[in-house]
Amino acid sequence: MLKRIRQVLAALSIVAIMLLFLDFTGTVHQWWGWMAKIQFLPALMAVNVGVIIALIVATLIFGRLYCSIICPLGIMQDGFGWLGKKMKKNRYSYSTAKSILRYTMLCITIIAIIFGISVIVTLLAPYSAFGRIVQNILSPLWQTGNNILAGMSERADNYMFYSVDVIWVKSAITLTVALATLVILGVLAWRNGRTYCNTICPVGTILGFFAKYSYLKPLIDTTKCNSCGLCARNCKSSCINSKEHTIDYTRCVGCMDCIGKCHKNAISYTHKVKATEPSTDAHDNTRRQFMSIGATLLATAAVKATEKTVDGGLAAIVDKKIPNRETHLVPPGAKSIRNMSSHCTACQLCVAVCPNGVLRPSSNMERMMQPESSYEKGYCRPECTKCSEVCPTGAICKITVAEKSSIQIGHAVWVKDNCVPLTDGYECGNCARHCPTGAITMMPSDASDETSPKIPTVNVEKCIGCGACENLCPARPFSAIYVEGHENHRVI
């Protein structure tokens, strides 16, 4: 029964989180957006003390159920493991904990958080890894299926569905990383179960430390156990030593598989202390040293994170190219490039919900896979605040529509050599007509001749950097006006 309950909750959890990345209507986030905010590492990056304490307390009571019910990457691995067991039953075996590797990876992650080495955090964050897989691999397929249904509905005079633009590759690097993650974790889980969770994942290591002292845990009754080893051969965490009747609770994810497989009812999920508690192994001293160092680094990381939080064309129709910005653009609510870099785990949730295709993963190695704004496909509409509503890490803080209209993330820059009135002799003014803040006005190119071609002038104090001018400029392949980013955003 416990196993079935856990499976149902896990299925609901992974479906809800998957829909957060697939939904392009914004409907799902109203109901299930909180699922992203209770993920451990995003909560840590956002310094969401309430969520972190709640997850630790839950682990102290129930063990590492977070890894089996809440973490989507862990649930995904269980799916691959289930497929592996279909081909060969009783495939697992007990193995000793890779303590040095586990705590080394944890320390590396904490150091990366402290010093703002976002690439390491991005690659190791389990929730973000799952988000990249869904957003880059499944989302284009989901949108294509939607467009097929939209076409069928339109022919039936039904407009329940509507077509959306499908971008198959938003970032080659991000897609490559997502594919590699899926293949590597899929193979590991298919063959050996929860290998990643108990060797590399920093969240699993942190929660494993608390799970060792959990109030409820699987316990082996030696009076009933006949040492058949069936529990160990079905333990995806390889943490049951059936010969010594011990369980390594730092690696146990509370999947309840062992309870369901034991024909003697020798394993129960209980709080009663028994004489068969795990003995201290040779790595305990090493583990304590790593945890002592890790606790210090974790506290420092939290302090550092808190500090950082305060802180219709006339030209030929060809695809636009991204201008060479000296400073890249991050969305309103990010506060600054530093805040974005320090808190973002590149989960791609903001990219998934952006209705105009403005946000896309960066290919720059310093901020690899973190979102940045680009205006070839659309511009950042002043009335849209979706990215700020879904970010679980504090990289993009929640803002209102009124606040967004006054946040300057950059300013427009005019490029004389690309401007249509000067290059082709046609009147334009697209940038001025569509500027939502009235920051652009058209002036004669020759001040002494009122009949000379009119060119745009930018009032930098009024421009908010929304990119409407850049996106709607008819010049190709480079716009005659583009937005230069600001290191720190300001209110105008």
Side-chain angles (χ1 to χ4, degrees), residues 204-282:
T205 302
I206 293 174
L207 296 182
F209 174 75
F210 294 102
K212 183 177 180 179
Y213 308 101
S214 62
Y215 183 69
L216 297 172
K217 60 184 69 173
L219 292 173
I220 300 175
D221 186 344
T222 55
T223 61
K224 295 181 180 179
C225 179
N226 62 358
S227 300
C228 68
L230 195 59
C231 56
R233 294 198 299 272
N234 284 276
C235 177
K236 65 188 71 173
S237 297
S238 302
C239 65
I240 301 179
N241 187 340
S242 57
K243 294 181 179 179
E244 298 183 8
H245 304 98
T246 60
I247 299 175
D248 181 357
Y249 297 112
T250 66
R251 291 184 288 159
C252 176
V253 296
C255 66
M256 312 300 174
D257 285 354
C258 55
I259 297 176
K261 289 294 182 180
C262 183
H263 300 316
K264 301 296 183 179
N265 295 321
I267 305 179
S268 58
Y269 185 63
T270 181
H271 66 275
K272 293 180 181 179
V273 179
K274 298 192 176 184
T276 55
E277 289 289 333
S279 58
T280 303
D281 58 33

Side-chain angles (χ1 to χ4, degrees), residues 77 92 183-196:
Q77 291 177 79
Y92 305 128
V183 172
I184 292 172
L185 293 188
V187 172
L188 287 175
W190 181 78
R191 295 186 61 183
N192 302 309
R194 291 283 190 126
T195 302
Y196 172 82

Side-chain angles (χ1 to χ4, degrees), residues 431-489:
C431 52
R433 282 194 299 273
H434 294 94
C435 179
T437 63
I440 302 176
T441 54
M442 302 301 292
M443 302 289 290
S445 55
D446 185 349
S448 61
D449 182 5
E450 289 292 329
T451 63
S452 62
K454 291 186 176 182
I455 57 175
T457 59
V458 181
N459 184 340
V460 176
E461 295 301 315
K462 295 177 67 176
C463 177
I464 60 175
C466 68
C469 55
E470 179 181 329
N471 173 250
L472 298 170
C473 176
R476 298 292 192 279
F478 292 101
S479 294
I481 192 166
Y482 74 96
V483 179
E484 186 62 53
H486 287 177
E487 288 276 352
N488 298 294
H489 298 174

Side-chain angles (χ1 to χ4, degrees), residues 10 15 23 31 39 46 63 67 98 116 146 175 180 199 208 304 307 320 323 354 363 368 409 413 442 444 469:
V15 168
D23 177 46
W31 298 96
Q39 302 297 320
C67 301
K98 307 297 186 293
N146 169 82
L175 177 59
T199 55
K304 290 287 185 180
E307 293 173 353
K320 282 200 173 190
C354 182
S363 298
M368 187 172 68
I409 67 171
V413 177
M442 302 301 292
C469 55

Side-chain angles (χ1 to χ4, degrees), residues 345-376:
T345 60
C347 71
Q348 312 292 302
L349 191 53
C350 57
V351 177
V353 301
C354 182
N356 297 311
V358 170
L359 294 180
R360 68 275 310 272
S362 173
S363 298
N364 185 287
M365 289 302 297
E366 294 182 3
R367 53 185 186 275
M368 187 172 68
M369 297 184 290
Q370 292 186 349
E372 59 185 19
S373 300
S374 199
Y375 301 129
E376 301 79 60

